[in-house]
Amino acid sequence: MIVFDLKCEGQGHVFEAWFGSSNDYADQQARGLIACPLCGDARVMKAVMAPAVAAKGNSRAVVPRPEATTPVVANGGDEAKMRALVDALAQAQSKALEGSTWVGRGFAEQARAMHYGEQDRASIHGEVAPQEAKALIAEGVEVAPLPFPVIPPEAKN
């Protein structure tokens, strides 16, 4: 995995995103799949970032990176504001997944079955390992990463 500091053009929010490789970032950027998590702006570019350099010889300790310029929650994380943020994320997740069925770890199998005509097409979401997602994309199966973490329906946000 590789981490990039990204910045939206609209409001200048800086945020961190993880990708399997630089090519994964370029592919997702070209397909318009990357957006600012704070304002939703899809005009995102790599931000200048401080390198994570080992502090001593072979030590795994890392020099701390500077914090993002825009905090997610202001004034130290007021509990009411944090709860409102979680509720807003849960509502956005619910709205985005309306009409989609949770298939859990069976996602790859069902997506392939729909792609090859073995199963009726439907909107589904679930879990898949990064390597399996790459394999699906390489096969031409239409999949897209969700811009937020998704939990199973029986779990509570």
Side-chain angles (χ1 to χ4, degrees), residues 44-55:
V44 174
M45 63 188 138
K46 290 182 187 176
V48 176
M49 57 188 275
V53 180

Side-chain angles (χ1 to χ4, degrees), residues 46-81:
K46 290 182 187 176
V48 176
M49 57 188 275
V53 180
K56 297 180 194 169
N58 290 332
S59 169
R60 302 209 31 100
V62 188
V63 176
R65 293 171 35 163
E67 293 184 30
T69 57
T70 306
V72 175
V73 178
N75 81 4
D78 181 332
E79 190 173 328
K81 287 182 182 182

Side-chain angles (χ1 to χ4, degrees), residues 4-19 25 27-45 145-148:
F4 288 123
D5 281 344
L6 302 178
K7 182 177 183 178
C8 71
E9 288 184 27
Q11 307 238 353
H13 297 128
V14 176
F15 58 98
E16 187 176 272
W18 292 73
F19 299 92
Y25 165 77
D27 178 57
Q28 290 181 32
Q29 178 71 5
R31 293 171 47 201
L33 298 175
I34 303 173
C36 176
L38 301 172
C39 67
D41 190 346
R43 296 172 300 152
V44 174
M45 63 188 138
L146 294 172
F148 44 79

Side-chain angles (χ1 to χ4, degrees), residues 37-39 71-74 77-93 148 157:
L38 301 172
C39 67
V72 175
V73 178
D78 181 332
E79 190 173 328
K81 287 182 182 182
M82 194 60 132
R83 182 74 239 164
L85 181 63
V86 169
D87 289 344
L89 182 59
Q91 283 183 338
Q93 174 180 312
F148 44 79
N157 279 338

Side-chain angles (χ1 to χ4, degrees), residues 68-142:
T69 57
T70 306
V72 175
V73 178
N75 81 4
D78 181 332
E79 190 173 328
K81 287 182 182 182
M82 194 60 132
R83 182 74 239 164
L85 181 63
V86 169
D87 289 344
L89 182 59
Q91 283 183 338
Q93 174 180 312
S94 176
K95 181 74 175 162
L97 299 175
E98 278 180 0
S100 181
T101 304
W102 171 259
V103 296
R105 294 179 188 242
F107 179 84
E109 293 79 24
Q110 288 194 32
R112 278 193 181 94
M114 286 188 282
H115 177 72
Y116 293 112
E118 300 164 358
Q119 181 177 324
D120 290 339
R121 294 180 73 88
S123 179
I124 62 171
H125 63 282
E127 299 176 26
V128 65
Q131 295 80 8
E132 186 67 20
K134 287 180 186 179
L136 288 169
I137 292 168
E139 290 176 42
V141 178
E142 295 178 23

